[in-house]
Amino acid sequence: MLKTTTAALLLAALFTSNINGQESDSRKVTNKTSFTATFMPLSIIDPSPRIRLGGEFLFNHKYSVSVDFGFGDEFISYEKENRSNADYNLWEIRPEFKAYKHVNKYIAFYAATELFFINHNDKFLDSHYQSESGNTVYYNSTDYHRVKYGVNFKGGFKATLMERISLEAYAGIGVRARQIDYSNTSVIENDDYYFFEGWDNYISNKEGNSVNLNIAAGIRIGFVLFANK
């Protein structure tokens, strides 16, 4: 994800450098307000896939408020080992505030604060998790529920590639709280089969509450629906 974001930043910078060299001071940003519909294309191939759409309202040239909504279910879920796709369901909401620094009409940098909340339900098969008591539970199947929420502090780059089309890339860090619960677990008594399971899987499936750092990175495509100069 970070490599993809970096590549997008470089491509957008190269695209806009020629425009920037040809623009005069009279071509500075003049939009007072605008509303942009947005789409996050890479969220569809996330480990927890979802369709993520949003809207951003820009005011006074420099500031904007926005909100993104994400939805995932069995119809956009892809085949994944140890998952029953038929039981996959996810929704999220992400309000955000941005402060822009415009270079010209076509390019701007920004700092942003984003709040997020994610609710995720799933069914996992033939694996294991660590219970709150510290025991390792091996199962044929289990229902999984994850709630994740927190705040991200991000820096980003936004370029207008066409009159109404924009490309945005960002990265940042924040803090998240997470609650993971398992239920309706079909326990396996003989755990010999799982002796060589990976350590990473063991850590990521720990039941209970946790607080940790959160990494944010992504690419957003926007379409300006309204602009008042």
Side-chain angles (χ1 to χ4, degrees), residues 151-189:
V151 58
N152 291 320
F153 304 99
K154 306 188 299 186
F157 172 96
K158 189 173 184 179
T160 301
L161 305 182
M162 299 174 65
E163 183 178 357
R164 290 184 176 269
I165 304 295
S166 64
L167 174 65
E168 177 184 338
Y170 64 83
I173 192 168
V175 179
R176 59 87 175 152
R178 184 177 66 187
Q179 169 71 38
I180 292 178
D181 296 300
Y182 294 89
S183 60
N184 301 320
T185 303
S186 175
V187 177
I188 296 176
E189 298 298 334

Side-chain angles (χ1 to χ4, degrees), residues 9 12 16 34 36 38 56 58 64 98 100-110 156-161 165-170 220-224:
L9 286 167
T16 55
S34 67
T36 303
T38 61
E56 179 182 9
L58 176 71
S64 77
K98 292 177 183 171
Y100 282 97
K101 175 64 175 178
H102 293 275
V103 177
N104 56 32
K105 185 177 180 179
Y106 300 97
I107 185 171
F109 294 91
Y110 67 81
F157 172 96
K158 189 173 184 179
T160 301
L161 305 182
I165 304 295
S166 64
L167 174 65
E168 177 184 338
Y170 64 83
R220 182 183 281 115
I221 297 171
F223 183 81
V224 179

